[in-house]
Amino acid sequence: MSSPPVIHVPPTEDASALKSAIKRAARCAALVGVSPVLASFWLNAAVLGRGRALESRSQLLSLWPGLTGQYLRRAFLQQVLAKCHPSATVEFGTFFSQPGAILDENVYVGPRCSLGLVHLERDVLLASNVQIPSGGKTHYFDDPSKPIRDQGGERKMVTIGAGAWIGTGAIILAGVGKGTIVAAGSVVTKPLPDNVIVAGVPAKVIRNRFEPTETSASDA
């Protein structure tokens, strides 16, 4: 039986001067287009706080599809997050809950992600449906005399290291090292080192990314 066809995707090429100019113009247009949402955000933030204002407005903008939605979301997030680099891409259905979030250069956030207090370093890739709340203790639950909702909690910055790739549906409760790959559906509960491949619930290290596998060794 023949193997299924494989489609190879070439590496991203540097943009031409003309393409860069068009992107700059599109970013300016997006900022103008999103200005009513920004105005309502600042008014709402003065009354309810920036966190609640961010969540509602980012949910609204998450519903705008396609390339236009990418530009509108970026224009909004650049004004309200701690940092959102102009090259970051945030896809349809993704929303943020914490204004302290940071998106560095060339970050890609896939569709339908939910992000709290997170730092996505340079070249991080998030697949679809990734959830990164603000650490693993957003709700305390040690007091049996109180409902969990009344016990408070803590928010902690979760850092995803440069060049890491987080697979579809993963839940990240602790930091991920640079260049590390988290398999789809994994739950990260403890900090992960650099350049490893992890999988499982809870996620465990399978191997170093750059160790030769048995297949590659036999092919040599």
Side-chain angles (χ1 to χ4, degrees), residues 10-26:
T12 304
E13 297 180 356
D14 293 335
S16 65
L18 176 60
K19 190 173 182 180
S20 296
I22 292 172
K23 286 184 175 182
R24 285 194 296 271

Side-chain angles (χ1 to χ4, degrees), residues 169-211:
I171 300 174
I172 311 298
L173 305 176
V176 174
K178 297 178 180 180
T180 284
I181 297 173
V182 178
S186 300
V187 178
V188 175
T189 59
K190 296 180 180 180
L192 299 175
D194 297 347
N195 295 315
V196 295
I197 299 174
V198 306
V201 181
K204 296 182 180 180
V205 175
I206 297 174
R207 65 176 177 88
N208 188 289
R209 267 184 65 190
F210 304 110
E211 287 179 358

Side-chain angles (χ1 to χ4, degrees), residues 93-217:
T94 289
F95 69 92
F96 293 77
S97 62
Q98 299 299 321
I102 299 171
L103 278 62
D104 286 340
E105 187 175 356
N106 295 324
V107 161
Y108 174 82
V109 180
R112 299 177 300 279
C113 293
S114 175
L115 304 179
L117 192 59
V118 62
H119 181 183
L120 304 181
E121 294 186 346
R122 180 187 177 111
D123 297 317
V124 162
L125 300 173
L126 302 188
S128 60
N129 295 298
V130 171
Q131 297 187 46
I132 310 178
S134 307
K137 296 182 179 180
T138 53
H139 294 283
Y140 295 142
F141 50 84
D142 297 323
D143 188 346
S145 66
K146 293 182 180 180
I148 292 174
R149 65 178 297 166
D150 294 336
Q151 295 189 42
E154 64 184 55
R155 296 189 180 100
K156 183 178 180 181
M157 178 71 80
V158 177
T159 299
I160 310 300
W165 176 21
I166 312 299
T168 300
I171 300 174
I172 311 298
L173 305 176
V176 174
K178 297 178 180 180
T180 284
I181 297 173
V182 178
S186 300
V187 178
V188 175
T189 59
K190 296 180 180 180
L192 299 175
D194 297 347
N195 295 315
V196 295
I197 299 174
V198 306
V201 181
K204 296 182 180 180
V205 175
I206 297 174
R207 65 176 177 88
N208 188 289
R209 267 184 65 190
F210 304 110
E211 287 179 358
T213 62
E214 292 183 6
T215 302
S216 61

Side-chain angles (χ1 to χ4, degrees), residues 28-49:
C28 291
L31 182 58
V32 173
V34 84
S35 57
V37 181
L38 280 168
S40 69
F41 165 82
W42 290 116
L43 288 172
N44 198 255
V47 178
L48 300 176

